[in-house]
Amino acid sequence: MLADAIVVLSGIDKEFDGEPVLRRISLSLGRGELVALVGRSGSGKSTLLHIIGGLDRAFRGSARVLGLDLATLGDRELADFRNRRVGLVFQSFHLLDHLTCGENVALPAFFATAKRVGDAREALDRVGLADFATKLPGQLSGGQKQRVAIARALFHRPDLLLADEPTGNLDTETGQKILELFQALHGDGLTLLIVTHEERISRAARRVIQLEDGRLLSSEASG
């Protein structure tokens, strides 16, 4: 186990309708790492990400994230963990079309007070969209929508950012810009775990974790 690990999984098993999805997964993620999680469709990547992010509680084994044993958390504690300690980014942007970009980013705060609107602008500035707070999602390109989704994930300044195929709906050039944004966030000290099929993201990662049929095949330094 890594000495500065903020994610420690031990013997994780997961089934769906009686079929194994994850099989005895044990791994750790160190603070400040940029890690790619790779494997074929159906290998268990997204399921593993959801367990780390507190979105899936139906598993066996031990999952400790940021010093918390996720299996022991109540519903309210788990919701607070997801809302404040971990940032989540998905392939689909999950923006609300009737809210402005600033309001979408401030959603984790529930009430967009003046301070929260200021925090949302700060998060948008961090992803290069400082002037987009009053725009609606329908006025944005796909890449801009993903940046807003990333800003929302960064709103509470999380310790860990989890991204599930974040460039999957983007063209090559736009996807490269999102990758460069992740690299910049990593350079600022953020810990990132990215589920991806894209080789360029794997090459940019400091470590690559490979799954196949729910089993951990390798966890190696990249490059």
Side-chain angles (χ1 to χ4, degrees), residues 39-145:
R40 299 175 182 174
S41 296
S43 62
K45 305 184 303 298
S46 293
T47 300
L48 186 60
L49 197 80
H50 288 175
I51 289 174
I52 294 171
L55 296 170
D56 189 336
R57 305 177 71 176
F59 63 88
R60 296 186 300 274
S62 172
R64 295 190 64 84
V65 182
L66 299 168
L68 300 173
D69 183 348
L70 299 188
T72 68
L73 300 184
D75 291 342
R76 182 168 294 182
E77 294 171 310
L78 201 58
D80 187 67
F81 164 79
R82 290 192 301 262
N83 194 39
R84 295 181 177 274
R85 304 293 305 279
V86 176
L88 297 162
V89 179
F90 301 97
Q91 182 173 346
S92 298
F93 315 121
H94 297 307
L95 301 179
L96 298 181
D97 290 338
H98 65 286
L99 298 181
T100 67
C101 292
E103 290 166 339
N104 268 284
V105 171
L107 275 177
F110 296 104
F111 298 102
T113 63
K115 179 181 182 303
R116 293 307 185 188
V117 170
D119 290 344
R121 288 181 182 275
E122 181 181 336
L124 285 167
D125 183 48
R126 198 172 180 188
V127 301
L129 295 179
D131 298 328
F132 281 62
T134 60
K135 290 184 178 294
L136 294 170
Q139 298 174 283
L140 308 183
S141 68
Q144 290 167 340
K145 289 179 182 178

Side-chain angles (χ1 to χ4, degrees), residues 178-194:
I178 296 298
L179 172 57
E180 291 169 0
L181 172 58
F182 284 141
Q183 290 174 306
L185 293 171
H186 173 249
D188 289 340
L190 186 63
T191 307
L192 295 97
L193 177 62
I194 305 174

Side-chain angles (χ1 to χ4, degrees), residues 194-214:
I194 305 174
V195 167
T196 186
H197 284 99
E198 293 205 43
E199 186 177 341
R200 60 181 168 175
I201 294 180
S202 299
R203 289 197 304 267
R206 299 300 181 266
R207 185 156 59 104
V208 178
I209 297 171
Q210 184 175 5
L211 293 181
E212 184 173 301
D213 296 330

